[in-house]
Amino acid sequence: MSQSFKTDLLVIGAGPAGYTAAIYAARASLKPILVAGLQPGGQLTITTDVENYPGFAEPVQGPWLVEQMRLQAEHVGTEIHYDLITSCDFSRKTEDGYFRLEADSGAIYLARTVVIATGAQARWLGLPSEARLQSGGVSACATCDGFFYRGKRVAVVGGGNTAVEEALYLTHHADHVTLIHRRDTLRAERILQERLFANPKISVMWNTAVEEVLGSGKPETVCGLSLRNTVDGSLDTLAVDGVFIAIGHTPNTGPFRGQIACDEEGYILTTPGSTRCSVEGVYAAGDVQDKKFRQAITAAGTGCMAALEAEHFLAGLPASVP
């Protein structure tokens, strides 16, 4: 028979947003349950040196940082379940006022409030060499990693707003940025394109696709790219010290589609200045609702907001039934 768990606050996701929500909720004596999902730690698990999270004079490793968050959440009373929420019904509640959610294990979770902090995944090119070098010069976040490429040459892959914004940002650190796009026109907004073309530190390679990320040394780090012309099929190489993949992100909102309001890309819509979703008692924090900043510190901030808003909402309800 399936197990059933009942809680005032269910946190879904184990990244900075989820752990922060759980920490605040536990300290408010809400006895939260956190369901960790497929990738506990989120994007921090594939991040090496973290220099922009406040509180550390020296760089820290992403996996270590998120492990400290987990330990802190447990220390203050969070109950962590290593499972995956697969379905939910936010359209109705049980007679005593609980949402019902189901997990991959078959477990049933009954929660008076829910914080969705399932994050978003960067879209990758799907190359084995790209995956192999994700800790050696392949990145999906210029704001996170651009600082490490001071005085170096880097490439950005993509043709939309994100790619152009990443390329422009990287010019503050790198000596030269090459934007690689598989078509002959960009999808980015016109004003961004004008800034791109006016920047002397940026060059564009049109009709070009990345065939392979080249690495060298021990430990292996990016040294270049193998490129293919999408028009005539000719091959070329480009020497770079790092490559930023900027072809978009996919929010992890599968189980919640059709249950709460999302935008056309699948990001959860929240009330401006709040983490409230379209369903009362449901909140969203972190990259699952933020497609602009996508930083660990902003995710943690919205996790805090979600827990505080959930606590305030619960305070207006009758006491829960054990």
Side-chain angles (χ1 to χ4, degrees):
M1 186 173 178
S2 299
Q3 285 185 292
S4 180
F5 302 95
K6 207 170 191 179
T7 180
D8 277 341
L9 176 61
L10 180 69
V11 180
I12 308 172
Y19 281 136
T20 303
I23 289 165
Y24 273 80
R27 295 186 73 253
S29 301
L30 298 181
K31 298 180 180 179
I33 294 175
L34 184 148
V35 179
L38 280 178
Q39 188 184 5
Q43 295 294 306
L44 278 180
T45 61
I46 58 171
T47 304
T48 51
D49 289 348
V50 177
E51 285 194 324
N52 55 3
Y53 198 90
F56 304 97
E58 299 293 331
V60 297
Q61 296 295 298
W64 177 87
L65 179 58
V66 80
E67 174 67 1
Q68 296 305 301
M69 295 179 187
R70 180 188 69 81
L71 292 171
Q72 184 178 2
E74 288 185 320
H75 175 73
V76 294
T78 302
E79 185 178 320
I80 298 178
H81 293 194
Y82 292 94
D83 207 340
L84 174 69
I85 297 297
T86 54
S87 66
C88 64
D89 186 355
F90 291 150
S91 65
R92 58 184 177 182
K93 293 183 178 182
T94 62
E95 290 183 1
D96 50 353
Y98 288 76
F99 295 114
R100 186 179 188 277
L101 302 94
E102 297 184 13
D104 185 61
S105 67
I108 304 298
Y109 289 89
L110 301 173
R112 295 216 293 172
T113 58
V114 177
V115 173
I116 302 170
T118 46
Q121 292 181 324
R123 296 177 193 150
W124 300 98
L125 301 173
L127 304 172
S129 55
E130 170 194 53
R132 188 180 73 248
L133 288 162
Q134 278 185 17
S135 60
V138 175
S139 174
C141 180
T143 308
C144 308
D145 300 325
F147 182 78
F148 301 113
Y149 295 91
R150 288 172 295 177
K152 297 184 178 182
R153 300 178 68 86
V154 299
V156 175
V157 180
N161 283 351
T162 299
V164 173
E165 288 169 350
E166 299 270 274
L168 289 167
Y169 175 82
L170 286 165
T171 60
H172 299 302
H173 302 290
D175 267 0
H176 189 79
V177 180
T178 302
L179 182 71
I180 299 171
H181 186 42
R182 60 185 304 112
R183 299 182 177 85
D184 59 2
T185 56
L186 298 175
R187 302 185 308 278
E189 296 172 0
R190 179 59 58 185
I191 189 169
L192 290 175
Q193 293 190 43
E194 291 173 357
R195 293 172 185 166
L196 181 90
F197 298 138
N199 195 307
K201 295 179 72 174
I202 299 176
S203 58
V204 181
M205 295 187 72
W206 303 105
N207 300 314
T208 302
V210 177
E211 289 282 283
E212 186 178 1
V213 182
L214 307 175
S216 64
K218 291 185 179 181
E220 189 178 18
T221 58
V222 171
C223 66
L225 300 171
S226 175
L227 306 172
R228 175 178 54 84
N229 186 287
T230 59
V231 176
D232 60 23
S234 60
L235 300 177
D236 197 1
T237 58
L238 176 70
V240 292
D241 301 294
V243 57
F244 291 81
I245 311 301
I247 56 176
H249 288 73
T250 302
N252 299 318
T253 51
F256 316 110
R257 300 285 181 94
Q259 295 291 321
I260 51 178
C262 298
D263 69 11
E264 66 280 359
E265 296 176 75
Y267 287 89
I268 296 174
L269 295 172
T270 54
T271 302
S274 168
T275 62
R276 294 192 304 273
C277 299
S278 58
V279 174
E280 189 177 53
V282 180
Y283 307 87
D287 291 7
V288 76
Q289 56 87 44
D290 170 24
K291 56 185 176 182
K292 180 177 181 180
F293 299 106
R294 294 196 296 266
Q295 300 297 301
I297 188 65
T298 52
T302 54
C304 165
M305 291 169 59
L308 293 175
E309 290 187 289
E311 180 189 4
H312 180 75
F313 174 77
L314 288 166
L317 299 180
S320 61
V321 180

